[in-house]
Amino acid sequence: MKRVTKPNVLFVNIGWAPKYDGKSQICGNHKDIKNQRGNPARLSEGKAFLPASNGFVQCGSGIGQVCPDSSIDLVFVSRNPLTEHHEIVGMYFEPDFSYRPWTNPKGNTVTWADASTNDFQELLGNNRPTVEWPPGRSMRRWVSMLGTIYHQQLFSQYVALI
């Protein structure tokens, strides 16, 4: 696939696993991970890089709609429990987004975004680069949107990976 030189890039923080294959326990501080006891079958990131029979992968990408909703590359990061550093664990290139109601651990129903694609890359082991996760909201960071780069260091790491 031809890569855009200045795409919209969204980083999403998910639970940690050595591999997102539906078998590896998910670790993390998000309440939903704790409530589901890290069960990969009950958490969207559990099978984030395990293709379905149609070749597509799917993973949650946070609360609320993702706009703009086209020409986005999604970069998944997770906090390694051994090092306590955030690492890039994989990418979805130009995913499609779908939305559904989700009841959060506080009992509030919100809009949840799921991303799916057949163009993806999981990073494993030592191939996961460490990133400095910016402070603030813990789930998503727009790194580049509509030609504006908001987090240069994260954008540079994204460019280096592709």
Side-chain angles (χ1 to χ4, degrees):
M1 168 176 276
K2 183 179 180 234
R3 300 287 178 228
V4 180
T5 56
K6 276 202 171 184
N8 297 305
V9 180
L10 181 62
F11 275 48
V12 176
N13 186 8
I14 62 174
W16 173 265
K19 188 169 174 83
Y20 297 88
D21 58 0
K23 299 174 187 172
S24 299
Q25 188 76 10
I26 305 297
C27 302
N29 292 326
H30 295 296
K31 286 183 183 177
D32 200 41
I33 292 172
K34 290 180 179 182
N35 289 347
Q36 303 300 334
R37 296 189 172 132
N39 182 342
R42 299 188 67 184
L43 295 162
S44 70
E45 60 263 71
K47 298 178 184 177
F49 295 99
L50 178 65
S53 60
N54 64 0
F56 279 74
V57 292
Q58 181 173 324
C59 186
S61 56
I63 296 171
Q65 293 204 10
V66 178
C67 299
D69 62 358
S70 62
S71 300
I72 295 172
D73 284 351
L74 210 54
V75 179
F76 293 102
V77 301
S78 186
R79 188 179 203 141
N80 184 325
L82 298 176
T83 66
E84 296 294 318
H85 293 114
H86 284 88
E87 298 176 3
I88 297 175
V89 298
M91 296 178 281
Y92 283 10
F93 301 103
E94 296 187 18
D96 291 322
F97 292 91
S98 60
Y99 303 97
R100 60 184 166 87
W102 174 68
T103 303
N104 67 21
K106 294 180 181 179
N108 300 323
T109 300
V110 296
T111 299
W112 183 260
D114 288 306
S116 64
T117 186
N118 64 354
D119 190 4
F120 60 95
Q121 179 66 49
E122 181 177 16
L123 302 175
L124 300 171
N126 293 333
N127 290 327
R128 292 178 168 179
T130 300
V131 297
E132 283 295 321
W133 190 245
R137 190 173 175 199
S138 67
M139 187 71 177
R140 298 196 292 215
R141 294 287 183 287
W142 277 106
V143 170
S144 173
M145 183 171 54
L146 301 175
T148 301
I149 297 173
Y150 295 98
H151 298 283
Q152 183 61 54
Q153 182 182 12
L154 293 176
F155 186 76
S156 295
Q157 287 182 288
Y158 159 80
V159 170
L161 283 171
I162 62 165

